[in-house]
Amino acid sequence: MALTTPHIHRPGTLKQQNKPHKHWHRSKGSLEKLKKGKTASIPGSIRHNRHELKREERRNQAQQNRQKKRFEYLQKRRGFCEAPFLVAILPLHHEINVDEVMSILKSADPDSSVTYTSEEHVHIKSPRIKQKFTFTTLSGDNLFDQLDVVKVCTTVLLLTSVKGISSESSVVLDAILAQGIPTAVVAITDLETIPQKKRSEAKSEVQHEIEGIVPGIDKVMSLTKDIDAMNVLRKIGTQKQRTVLQRDRRSHMLAESVHFIETEKGKGTLKVTGYLRGRNLSANSLIHIPGWGEFQIEQIDLAPFPGDDITDPKVLDRPDPLKQESLVSENIPDPMDAEQTWPTDEEIREFSTKKVKKIPKGMSEYQAAWIPDEDTVEVNDDDEDDDDDDGMDVVSAVSEQDSCESEEYETMTVASEAAPDPEKYDTEMDLDEEKVALEKIKRAKEDLEFPDEVDTPQNIPARERFARYRGLASFRTTPWDPKENLPLDYARIFQFQNFTKTKKAVLAEEPSGAQAGWYISIHLKDVPTVLYQMRGQQPVVLYGMLPHEAKMSVINMVLKRVPGSTEPLKSKESLLFQVGYRRFRASPIYSQHSSGNKHKYERFFQPDSVVVGTVFAPVVFPPASVLVFKENSDRTITTVASGSVLSVNPDRIVVKRVVLSGHPFKVLKRSAIIRFMFFNREDIEWFKPVELKTKYGRRGHIKEPLGTHGHMKCVFNAQLKSQDTVLMHLYKRIFPKWTYDPCVNFAPIAT
């Protein structure tokens, strides 16, 4: 029986063909399906005469690419000029003997060659694994020295103990993790001190403890024998290196030899020798030494390795005077800019101060006008503005009765005649510091409960106290000119027209000169003699700065409080910062980490919160880690926050908000009589255009004042409740203060 095929209908030539639907706004998923991993072609770049590669040609091209990448990888790992692995040894317990560990590492390979440097670094070259290593120990109580060494290391060897991690080592380890830890290797040094049956359990406990602190630790090794040391060296040389962008994008060097030659009185040339890592280094670049500052390069030499007989070093690069980076960090304002008369210092001082008269109680303004000017007191507007307590009464502070002033004067005179007791003086200082700390905690708690609320002053007009404030119809959408009423300090800084584009251009440029991996000597000119004399045991770390990183600007940093830091930090409080490779002291202002073009000012950096800190500081191209320290009364430091650089943008608008509150005196259907927000008729007329809000979500405006004692009639979009509170939001832009101080060297650890 023959098989019958089913009938299939085939459309003819006259079948209707509908147009497909055109998706003008396609989703990302549909675009990915259409693309299927293919890269979009650039219009206008298609060449019609392009040669189409055949199968054998494509296979040959892929093989050549593989060989090229393999050669570059081997050249990077085992190249003749490749720098050895720089390993920083960090003991996590005070009973660990680092010298004993170093002796085990040096004797791991019997055929290895060991050399020493004048900076107490140890070079180990192992023929068995064909690798070179440089070991340095993190010791001492200066936290900044240890952080500087870790920033330029390729590997950190964490030596642990079965007894756990000590408190001092925990502080150092937390700071290293916050700034960015390189590739880490963990080894136990005293595993053989416990019985054989308990070693596996003890090793598992150490593994569990380390995994919760250091990320990316796959295995905890033992380091008690030569075979263990060989395994540690092999792991350091073969494991995948962790990328730290703020380190790899800049030239850096850990000095193995430092010499100073004084060329003139108070200055000289500093010759630093070591392996160059990271990027290539040009003699036109600037060099930054943490705690010392920025310096220009005189020349770069190819230095002989310790033990070589080369006496005549080869000069690699010298600076070009036309291309060398300048040490000028601030802009010099032009007094005749925009054809405006620049005020003198006396005019600025006279404008920034106002005179407040001491008047008796009950005296009217007409009577006070007859008081001579000799009895006036100057009050600085800037000092008043810096105080966060917007309800501070300026006049009441100088309008005390004469009898009280005379009694205080007599008391101060008697106290000055008595000889001070040192012990009593120290006790009074401690009590004053404790009182100030308690007052700061109290104000921070009030700021949490009643954010931005202030009391309207009764003895001075509110229109004078809040003259610099304005109302906003919408905090998010109301425009605010970022160039409006800028302070004089903004004329001293630099601003990028397009910061992102400048960053890409700087990172894409490959400098010529000394190549990464070479053993070179860098000659720095005009180094102050006092810096070299006060160095002590400080390790010298050099960073090749990128273009424009010596210029002053406004740095915005995203900051988060570290666990365990519970003390509130007041805005404009002096702190120590480590931003990337640079350290300085500054007084930041805090603002909310939010989107939009305006950001609300925060009076306190509360625990368990995230804010944006703004300071005047030199430019740094992100990514760059940030560590914030607070200096204690005993000169030790405590880590209080960590984060990263958000932007370098002077146009970031930080707006301070004050909230004036009033209470309903009489509630009608759509209107109400409000009191206690103002205390005179003129203030009500002045703030009449500003919108009112309530805590229950009502909105309204002032209709008219009633009487002369601050009562006003207000109209709302709905009826008020008797327990509601009427609020008026006023805003003023806040600028950071010029408190940049780069001289930060010594930092004992507070445990």
Side-chain angles (χ1 to χ4, degrees), residues 666-673 713-714 718-721:
K666 186 177 181 181
V667 178
L668 303 176
K669 186 175 182 181
R670 292 285 300 275
S671 62
I673 299 176
K713 186 177 181 180
C714 304
Q719 187 176 14
L720 293 186
K721 296 183 179 180

Side-chain angles (χ1 to χ4, degrees), residues 5 22 76 107 114 124 207 317 456 499 560-561 701:
T5 58
K22 295 181 179 179
K76 180 180 178 181
S107 61
V114 181
I124 300 178
Q207 174 89 21
D317 195 11
T456 306
F499 181 76
K560 181 180 180 181
R561 296 296 295 270
H701 62 275

Side-chain angles (χ1 to χ4, degrees), residues 138-177:
L138 302 179
S139 59
D141 59 346
N142 193 343
L143 177 61
F144 288 159
D145 290 350
Q146 302 180 30
L147 293 178
D148 289 340
V149 174
V150 172
K151 278 187 289 187
V152 297
C153 287
T154 56
T155 305
V156 177
L157 179 58
L158 304 176
L159 302 181
T160 62
S161 172
V162 293
K163 299 178 182 179
I165 302 176
S166 60
S167 58
E168 288 188 1
S169 301
S170 178
V171 173
V172 177
L173 186 58
D174 292 341
I176 292 175
L177 291 172

